[in-house]
């Protein structure tokens, strides 16, 4: 199979099309797809907020998942106010059911996570956080992802701006399409 430019193995989040899923990704198979939903956020230094989110876990036949997340702040009726956080990266499962995750943020920091795949649950903790001189001070994160009743649920605790790990984000996303 080729993509529109003629290059082989297009990336897909739909397991019914594109290249075969690499066998090392079988532990993350339930996460592959396009997910949308809403969540709640807050932190000691900011006002609580509601957001909408789209998350895409896709693959191109190689032994990693491409990951992209986009969020929008929403009002009480669920209408978008403005774009919010974005992140892109790669999830790299290992033979022992561990996983390495690399995430980059346009606000000037990059995170390297290590964690475990446990059935329909993935738990991640930062191994390293690197930031530019102008980025917000983020020193650590902890993430918990799970497939619950067919939905993708997650929670993020963040250590930033002088605070220890503190609940920051949580969301429930529904699978869209394939």
């Amino acid at each position: 199979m080729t993509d529109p430019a003629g290059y082989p193995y297009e990336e897909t989040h739909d397991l019914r099309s594109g290249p075969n899923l690499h066998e090392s990704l079988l532990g993350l198979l339930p996460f592959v797809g396009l997910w949308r939903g809403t969540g709640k956020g807050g932190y000691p230094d900011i006002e609580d907020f509601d957001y909408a989110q789209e998350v895409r876990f896709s693959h191109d036949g190689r032994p990693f998942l491409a990951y992209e997340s986009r969020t929008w702040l929403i009002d009480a009726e669920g209408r978008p106010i403005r774009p919010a956080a974005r992140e892109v990266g790669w999830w790299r499962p290992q033979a022992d059911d561990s996983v390495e995750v690399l995430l980059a943020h346009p606000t000037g920091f990059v995170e390297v996570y290590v964690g475990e795949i446990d059935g329909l649950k993935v738990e991640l903790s930062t191994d390293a956080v690197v930031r530019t001189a102008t980025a917000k001070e983020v020193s650590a994160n902890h993430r918990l992802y799970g497939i619950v009743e067919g939905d993708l649920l997650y929670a993020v605790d963040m250590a930033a701006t002088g605070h220890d790990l503190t609940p920051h984000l949580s969301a429930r996303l529904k699978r869209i399409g394939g």
Side-chain angles (χ1 to χ4, degrees), residues 28 57 64-68 87-94 97-105 110-117 122-129 141 143 145:
L28 292 172
F57 288 97
F64 58 84
L65 291 180
Y67 169 87
E68 181 179 8
E87 55 190 24
V88 297
W90 295 268
W91 289 46
R92 303 176 60 230
Q94 305 302 305
D97 289 329
S98 67
V99 62
E100 302 167 348
V101 176
L102 300 90
L103 297 179
H105 304 262
V110 176
E111 301 166 295
V112 176
Y113 287 88
V114 293
E116 297 293 322
I117 303 167
V122 176
E123 188 165 359
L124 304 168
S125 295
T126 47
D127 185 46
V129 179
N141 271 300
R143 295 180 181 221
Y145 292 83

Side-chain angles (χ1 to χ4, degrees), residues 15-125:
L15 294 170
R16 296 174 299 196
S17 66
N20 291 330
L21 188 72
H22 192 279
E23 66 182 38
S24 70
L25 297 176
L26 292 178
L28 292 172
L29 175 66
F31 296 88
V32 175
L34 176 62
W35 304 86
R36 289 186 188 137
T38 59
K40 298 212 173 271
Y43 207 67
D45 299 341
I46 60 174
E47 195 172 312
D48 289 352
F49 58 92
D50 294 324
Y51 63 95
Q53 183 172 25
E54 179 177 284
V55 169
R56 183 182 316 258
F57 288 97
S58 54
H59 75 97
D60 64 4
R62 293 182 287 171
F64 58 84
L65 291 180
Y67 169 87
E68 181 179 8
S69 170
R70 299 171 58 130
T71 62
W72 298 264
L73 292 180
I74 57 175
D75 64 19
E77 287 76 43
R79 293 183 303 250
I81 299 170
R82 65 173 175 81
R86 290 190 73 173
E87 55 190 24
V88 297
W90 295 268
W91 289 46
R92 303 176 60 230
Q94 305 302 305
D96 63 357
D97 289 329
S98 67
V99 62
E100 302 167 348
V101 176
L102 300 90
L103 297 179
H105 304 262
T107 53
F109 67 100
V110 176
E111 301 166 295
V112 176
Y113 287 88
V114 293
E116 297 293 322
I117 303 167
D118 182 11
L120 298 176
K121 177 178 87 171
V122 176
E123 188 165 359
L124 304 168
S125 295

